[in-house]
Amino acid sequence: MKTMTIWRLAFAMLAVFTTLAAQAQLFHPLGLGFNGGERQGNSSQPRMHVEGDKLYVCTSQGLYAKDLSADNSAWQLVGFEGVPLQDYARRGNDILALRYNEGGSFLLLSHDGGQTYEEVTPEIPIKKEYERFPSMASHPTDKNTLMVSSNCRGILLSTDFGQTWECLTEFIYANPAATFIGFHPARPNIIYNSGEGMIFEGHIKISYDSGQTWNDHGNSLGFPGDNCVHQPTFHPTNPDRWLAGGEGCVFLTDDNGQTWSCQNYWGDETRSAYWYFSIFDNEHPDTVYMAGCLWRSGQNGGCIKLMCSTDGGRSWYPSQVMTSDREFDRVNDLQQYGDRLLIYSESDVYSVSKAELIAQSTTAIRSVVSDTKESPAYDLQGCKVVNPKHGIYIINKRKVVK
């Protein structure tokens, strides 16, 4: 009996070491070569976009691109050299870029892909020295229509690609670094503005009529205090289901944003995780991923955290962690390309295999259980398999070869 106990302990320790090594290999840096995602201030939120096979990244030194279809392709500076960018919108060769600055010169318009440009920032009549433009959002079907968020003017809308602007709402959140705006991808007349209130409570304001009227969804709908509602994502086949991360919480709605619930997923996870970005899988609609970070104030040892759900966000597997020697390696964006996730942090851009993420997450050691005939089988994408044939499956959170 003692021999069996020692054997089980040794096996468990080996499994733990194997898991830790696998976690370290899960995140593959794409070698941007400099801290391009380093924030230029509390309101800076550099983002990235996948256009076909190209990845475009807004950095502190301009707009960089990488060919994702070619292994070991080099990064190239493609526009706005030396300009600290936060985001951009594209209309053919026209690019409207949102740059980081304090006090003015926020919007730059280029007609040649970023080689030359002019400033087209709308006039701000008051408090110009305190002005910031934290976010930009593009309409899902009309390239001429986009929004920006302004600290002093609220949300501004343009229908002519930045030539003229109108104010949709003067409301602003207390923390501009955690403010997100956007259009519902399937119902673009729905606009959201999520963030954090004056006393750190989570909020999301939603307009169902293109910004004419707004509904404030906050603590009365289940958002816990001392929190923040970060950028929502939308189920690809069920437009009524939205999901957003917060501080140690996942917010979920199944009625188009009318009511929300907080999925207290964390269990033995630390509550101090900041979940910024989430995204539903393009090919497996009920699989969703969430990226965030852990801030350990005053010491090194920050980390990037990534977790997944295979039931539409109802429950979550333990997070996978990439440690960092930075105090706070903040996540700037999360995108997907084919079978990969792309995570943009302050230190680099990282590629993560979706299948490996799910496999490592679902095989995390929690407790020893016995397989039964009733135990359901899942493929490596997290989809339930009724009659599994020969192959590798996940049963009771472990890989099993049939």
Side-chain angles (χ1 to χ4, degrees), residues 132-282:
R132 311 286 187 276
F133 276 30
S135 301
M136 172 183 282
S138 298
H139 192 282
T141 58
D142 181 3
K143 295 184 180 299
N144 289 313
T145 299
L146 46 89
M147 296 185 297
V148 294
S149 61
S150 156
N151 282 13
C152 296
R153 295 286 304 278
I155 297 179
L156 304 177
L157 175 72
S158 174
T159 58
D160 53 13
F161 204 69
Q163 297 300 312
T164 60
W165 298 86
E166 64 172 309
C167 183
L168 294 182
T169 173
E170 295 184 354
F171 175 83
I172 58 173
Y173 283 105
N175 183 4
T179 295
F180 300 89
I181 60 174
F183 298 88
H184 191 304
R187 299 165 176 165
N189 61 305
I190 300 177
I191 302 171
Y192 66 82
N193 179 19
S194 58
E196 183 178 65
M198 292 296 294
I199 55 175
F200 310 112
E201 75 279 15
H203 282 271
I204 180 169
K205 285 183 174 291
I206 302 174
S207 172
Y208 297 94
D209 53 13
S210 300
Q212 300 304 305
T213 59
W214 293 83
N215 301 276
D216 183 16
H217 302 290
N219 287 357
S220 63
L221 295 180
F223 294 177
D226 191 19
N227 214 305
C228 181
V229 182
H230 294 138
Q231 180 164 309
T233 187
F234 302 85
H235 194 282
T237 60
N238 179 9
D240 287 336
R241 171 168 288 191
W242 310 14
L243 185 146
E247 298 173 19
C249 187
V250 175
F251 302 108
L252 187 66
T253 176
D254 282 313
D255 57 9
N256 204 28
Q258 296 295 326
T259 59
W260 295 78
S261 62
C262 175
Q263 306 299 310
N264 296 323
Y265 70 89
W266 55 78
D268 61 356
E269 292 270 341
T270 175
R271 186 176 167 80
S272 58
Y274 287 68
W275 298 107
Y276 284 103
F277 299 99
S278 49
I279 189 168
F280 283 95
D281 191 283
N282 285 334

Side-chain angles (χ1 to χ4, degrees), residues 17-27 318-322 360 364:
F17 290 136
T18 302
T19 300
L20 292 175
Q23 288 177 349
Q25 298 173 4
L26 182 66
F27 296 82
S319 61
Q320 305 299 304
V321 176
M322 188 198 76
Q360 290 189 28

